[in-house]
């Protein structure tokens, strides 16, 4: 599989619980991005890594959100104390030096 | 005013028709992406272009840097082309600035 892989595909959680999503980018891609998409809206940028360094973080990313890319390969996005407003599709994309973005299928989070 | 604007927002056409979706942007960009998203599906990158024209199968994308305008064309449209088409401008900070998308429905 040479695409961007995201796990899990779907996650249902109770409000207040913590959740963690994983993204495995294309192996030679050095840049990795997280986006959030709510129903009927375009994706919103959350954060961006170049190799293992988190270079930019959106104001949308509150203190409850944290993302890591420990070895410059896969990345995790954790949401602590989930709220109903966190319900969305979380998309991961990777690129090589900013060219040719490839998106994963996303993780759909539902907070009940 | 959004930095990336698409038109039309919704487009319904008959199978076989020639489709044009337009994108205008007001920011300085290093590249412009056209992406496709099927209902409930992931986002697929169709084109990334910084000048001129690109063609892939029945899809054609053009960009005019001076006019800050890009178009996506679909020739001989087919019901399987039904999807949301998104224009996204890549700025110098590596972020993608997304248009609102064009929902395309091709009727058989």
């Amino acid at each position: 599989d040479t695409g961007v892989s995201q796990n899990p595909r779907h996650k249902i959680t109770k409000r207040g619980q913590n959740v963690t999503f994983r993204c495995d980018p294309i192996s030679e891609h050095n840049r990795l991005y997280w986006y959030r998409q709510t129903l009927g809206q375009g994706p919103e940028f959350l954060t961006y890594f170049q190799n293992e360094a988190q270079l930019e973080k959106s104001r949308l990313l509150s203190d409850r959100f944290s993302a890591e890319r420990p070895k410059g390969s896969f990345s995790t996005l954790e949401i602590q104390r989930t709220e109903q407003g966190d319900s969305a599709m979380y998309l991961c994309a990777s690129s090589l030096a900013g060219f040719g973005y490839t998106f994963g299928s996303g993780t759909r989070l539902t907070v009940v | 005013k959004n930095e990336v604007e698409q038109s039309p927002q919704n487009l319904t056409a008959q199978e076989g028709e020639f489709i044009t979706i337009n994108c205008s942007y007001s920011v300085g960009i290093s590249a412009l992406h056209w992406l496709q998203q099927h209902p409930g599906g992931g986002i697929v990158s169709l084109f990334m272009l910084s000048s001129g024209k690109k063609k892939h199968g029945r899809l054609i994308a053009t960009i005019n840097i001076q006019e800050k305008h890009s178009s996506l064309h679909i020739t001989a449209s087919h019901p399987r082309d039904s999807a949301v088409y998104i224009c996204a401008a890549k700025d110098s900070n590596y972020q993608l600035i997304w248009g609102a998308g064009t929902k395309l429905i091709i009727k058989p």
Side-chain angles (χ1 to χ4, degrees), chain A residues 37 43 56 98-99 101 103, chain B residues 33 37 48 90 94-95 98:
Chain A
Q37 185 175 25
E56 192 154 355
F99 293 96
Y101 286 66
F103 285 84
Chain B
H33 292 255
Q37 186 172 31
M48 185 185 72
K90 185 163 81 77
Y94 319 112
Q95 291 188 32
W98 302 77

Side-chain angles (χ1 to χ4, degrees), chain A residues 6-11 21 88-90 105-109:
Chain A
Q6 288 189 247
N7 288 289
R9 293 292 301 271
H10 300 95
K11 178 71 177 177
F21 312 139
M89 175 75 84
Y90 290 83
S105 298
T107 293
R108 183 170 295 283
L109 173 66

Side-chain angles (χ1 to χ4, degrees), chain A residues 47-66:
Chain A
T47 190
Y48 146 69
F49 291 86
Q50 178 157 305
N51 300 313
E52 66 274 11
Q54 187 174 18
L55 295 188
E56 192 154 355
K57 193 173 170 180
S58 165
R59 288 188 299 276
L60 294 172
L61 223 60
S62 75
D63 291 343
R64 297 185 297 106
F65 288 71
S66 62

